[in-house]
Amino acid sequence: MRIPMEPVNSNAGASGAIASIVATRHEAVRRMPAGREWRVALWLGIGFLLLWGVATALAYQAPDIDSAEQFVWAVSLEGGYYKHPPLPTWIMHGLIALFGPSLVLPVVAAQACIATALALTWRLGCEFMSPLRSGAATLLTSLVTYYNIGGDSFNHNTVLLPFQAATLLLFYLATRRGGSLMLWTLMGLLAGLSVLVKYVALAPLAGMALYFVLDRSLHRREVLLGALLASAVFVLVLLPHAWWLVSVDFLPIRYAQFVTHKLPETLAPLPKVADFVFTQLQRMIPFFIALAVLATKLRVRRAGALKSGMPAAQPAERLSADDRLFVWIAALAPLLIVLAVGLFGGTALAARWGTNAFLLCGHVALLAVAMLRGTDAHRLWRITLWIVLPLQLLLCVGQTIGKTIGADWLGIPTRPNYPGALLARMAESTWREHAGPNAGPLRLIASDSWLGGNLILHAHGQPRQVLIDGSHRHTPWVAPDAAANCGMLVLEDITGNRHTPSQPHPELDALMAATDVGGVWTLAWSGKQRKEPTGPRAIIRWGIIARTATGASCPIGKEAGGANGN
């Protein structure tokens, strides 16, 4: 649809005609066919994936630690894992079955989650503002660093984003169309799946429940029946996982209690919460920069239009009281609940818990400032687009160079420039040399998730399993007699820098003590050390437990195609 641009004319007698053109243009923008906006959103999402996928493929040498962990877990479909619920790992299992493990796979998958979440958030915004205004708001939101440079890792926080956005959209539509049982059913399904991604999904769900209580217009029979239906579906989705939790003595819950330790003193939460808030503000710096530039540009254009005699743009759509209440609760509840847990629960807050708290920040910003009411939607969209795209490119290039080429040149160790391929070659050659004539290929590794994930990534199609930290409790899919049937390579990272902090793993230490042969690898961590004798190094202690059950087959890989390891 071509929309005529308003002519620049200082003749006061033409103001009525100009006002009519502006009003017509505003209505045309607001009523643009939905397909056009979806196409724009689709192309922006594809560009997002290509930008980060190409950058990763060209520069990264190793995955992020959370992505490496998913490679380790995804070899087996379980009812849950010792840290988290199972859905992200199930998704990664399917992706690996389709495409195989690669450095690009987790980054593209994570960015696909972010792009989907932003598209759904845009669609939600179209319910209470024009598509172009919602698009501008969503573009601003994409600058929160959780949704760009923080998206190079496939973890439970990024996977939660699309499920959270879909649940919020379905909840809004269901509350506005109270008799639609299908919407309520889908909302309950997505709410249950979001908890199967990460338990912190309960925070935005609590916000939706609060809105339901406060908005009295929803207290009608058909809406209450729909909400009960959604609750029933939610419970049914979670029942199998609840059964699994009981069977493992609530292992993920106890892990969460361990990593989010209670703070001992009464006033101890205050500095921790302040530090959490400060970190969240840092993550929003690109968002604030874009918002400030946008406000400045619009103010200059508005002043120029007033000097030339142009009338002000038509006011934007006014939100109803119910919509205002929904937007504010949906936007603020996830963050406020996390802050309340830190303040009143005395729990140390992890910075990454803010990932899911800012999906509506762009919409709130545009609703809260005057430029939404005084600026034409088409102009708002166009200016926002030309501000956001260069910033996204700058963030991608800066992140990629900073973690790889720049860090390599400066001799700074990072996860993306870790020598994962060299580690895999050392593991293969050491195994062939020391495992014995009846060992077969390397199938079983005992190590932390980081080393194990790198070895699975570079397995070249050979099925492998990792006994995480030497613990069968953390890795129930590894059979107790697997070491006897397959042999085992035991690895312990003793580098001791901030990426590989020394942690006690008594079960791994016991396995290392039982090895038949062992040694230490020293691997150059950066290009600087490969050229010079100085620079960061990865130090790995290794040992091999020889295969003793020579008459039995190695079970690892039978599901992947019948290989028995003999």
Side-chain angles (χ1 to χ4, degrees), residues 257-280:
Q257 291 173 338
F258 171 75
V259 297
T260 59
H261 55 276
K262 295 287 186 179
L263 298 171
E265 302 175 10
T266 305
L267 296 179
L270 292 177
K272 293 292 184 180
V273 169
D275 183 63
F276 174 80
V277 171
F278 180 69
T279 301
Q280 305 315 305

Side-chain angles (χ1 to χ4, degrees), residues 424-442 458 460 462 464 489 517 521 542 544:
R425 290 196 298 270
M426 293 294 294
E428 288 284 358
S429 62
T430 302
W431 180 261
R432 287 195 301 268
E433 182 179 353
H434 296 286
N438 299 318
L442 174 59
H458 296 285
H460 305 296
Q462 284 282 357
R464 286 178 178 170
L489 175 65
V517 62
W521 302 326
W542 65 268
I544 291 176

Side-chain angles (χ1 to χ4, degrees), residues 50 118 146 215 232 360 433 479:
L50 289 175
L118 292 175
Y146 287 120
D215 187 352
L360 281 170
E433 182 179 353

